[in-house]
Amino acid sequence: MTSILEVVDVSVRYGVGCERCAPADGPARCPVCGSVWACRGLSFDVDSGDVMGIVGESGSGKSTALACANLDLVPLSGRVRLLGEDVTGIGGARRRELRAEALGIVCQTPAQGLDLDLTAGGNVVSRMLAAGARGYEALRRRASELVQATELPLERMDAVTSTFSGGMQQRVQVARALATRPPILLLDEPTSGLDVSVQVRLLDLLRRIQLETQVAMLVVSHDLGVIRMLADRLLVMRQGRIVERGLTDQLLNDPRHPYTQLLVSSQLS
């Protein structure tokens, strides 16, 4: 399989750092200057059609890893490659082009990923316009296709997104993320704050879309149930490092690292 996304030995530090900053095998927070290492020597790849999950407690570094993948953060060291291109620290028009065409993201809260003052169709079309698409009829047709594909009522396509329920807003995010047919979707806690029944429907939708389109996905979640349902492979992060990796079912059914065992047992209890 072809790698869509490669993260190679990436480290991210929040803070100025110092000569005695936290070593690779020490705590994430430097006891001298207080800087925090959100990622330390992080390496993984997401292949075409692959679904990779990242789990860990709050502060483990999983959201920072996703931010690097989405070109929101420039790592202190290491490289990020997208479709074979080194995009570490990329800016300007090329960064905007990649984010519009090659990366789709579903944020934790709809307010982060949508313009709630726009209609559902308007949110989808705005992403296509950012990627250079033109032609009212073609844009409208594509938006209609995505609204139906994400199981939103077609008659609500021209309704303002702020009038939608949380679950419907997340579906608009999915439709918007898919608008330019990106090769990879980044999912940041996609079911956070949703009722259980709404979570299940959204996860069913995401799994169906992935199976039908073979879009690659990188899923960040603290919820092992979400990861088990979506991800084929899994990374477990703690204090900025990957402590265990493997096939999702195998790792969750038979965790080897004590931290992974704790995560699994805490969600079973």
Side-chain angles (χ1 to χ4, degrees), residues 97-108:
E97 180 183 3
L98 286 168
R99 282 167 59 93
E101 298 180 4
L103 294 165
I105 187 165
V106 177
C107 300
Q108 183 171 352

Side-chain angles (χ1 to χ4, degrees), residues 78-269:
R79 317 303 295 171
V80 177
R81 296 190 184 96
L82 184 63
L83 301 174
E85 178 182 351
D86 188 338
V87 295
T88 314
I90 200 167
R94 182 56 178 155
R95 177 179 178 271
R96 291 192 295 271
E97 180 183 3
L98 286 168
R99 282 167 59 93
E101 298 180 4
L103 294 165
I105 187 165
V106 177
C107 300
Q108 183 171 352
T109 62
Q112 294 174 286
L114 298 173
D115 184 338
L116 297 181
D117 293 326
L118 280 182
T119 65
N123 271 284
V124 176
V125 166
S126 66
R127 177 165 166 82
M128 291 187 281
L129 290 172
R134 296 294 183 267
Y136 175 81
E137 291 299 332
L139 291 171
R140 180 81 178 176
R141 183 167 56 253
R142 176 65 175 156
S144 299
E145 290 172 356
L146 287 164
V147 164
Q148 294 180 85
T150 52
E151 300 173 1
L152 287 162
L154 188 58
E155 62 271 18
R156 298 294 303 277
M157 190 171 89
D158 295 319
V160 177
T161 314
S162 60
T163 65
F164 290 7
S165 66
M168 289 178 66
Q169 289 175 348
Q170 288 298 74
R171 288 169 186 270
V172 177
Q173 275 211 79
V174 174
R176 185 180 188 278
L178 291 168
T180 58
R181 298 180 175 87
I184 186 168
L185 288 186
L186 309 177
L187 306 175
D188 184 10
E189 301 279 6
T191 62
S192 179
L194 300 178
D195 292 339
V196 173
S197 60
V198 179
Q199 288 184 30
V200 171
R201 290 175 59 192
L202 181 62
L203 291 172
D204 280 339
L205 171 69
L206 289 168
R207 192 59 177 165
R208 176 178 61 77
I209 287 172
Q210 198 282 323
L211 290 171
E212 290 176 356
T213 66
Q214 286 299 292
V215 63
M217 291 182 177
L218 179 61
V219 188
V220 165
S221 181
H222 69 281
D223 189 330
L224 298 182
V226 170
I227 294 298
R228 189 186 289 273
M229 187 165 182
L230 291 180
D232 305 311
R233 294 190 291 144
L234 179 59
L235 308 175
V236 181
M237 290 190 66
R238 181 174 185 265
Q239 294 187 343
R241 294 186 296 262
I242 296 172
V243 298
E244 193 166 3
R245 67 174 78 211
L247 298 176
T248 301
D249 285 343
Q250 180 178 338
L251 194 152
L252 293 182
N253 290 334
D254 186 23
R256 300 303 176 91
H257 193 277
Y259 178 71
T260 311
Q261 293 171 357
L262 182 62
L263 282 181
V264 172
S265 64
S266 67
Q267 295 204 16
L268 289 176
S269 58

Side-chain angles (χ1 to χ4, degrees), residues 1-5 46-51 183 210 214-216:
M1 289 190 290
T2 304
S3 287
I4 301 297
L5 173 70
V46 183
D47 297 330
S48 178
D50 192 14
V51 183
Q210 198 282 323
Q214 286 299 292
V215 63

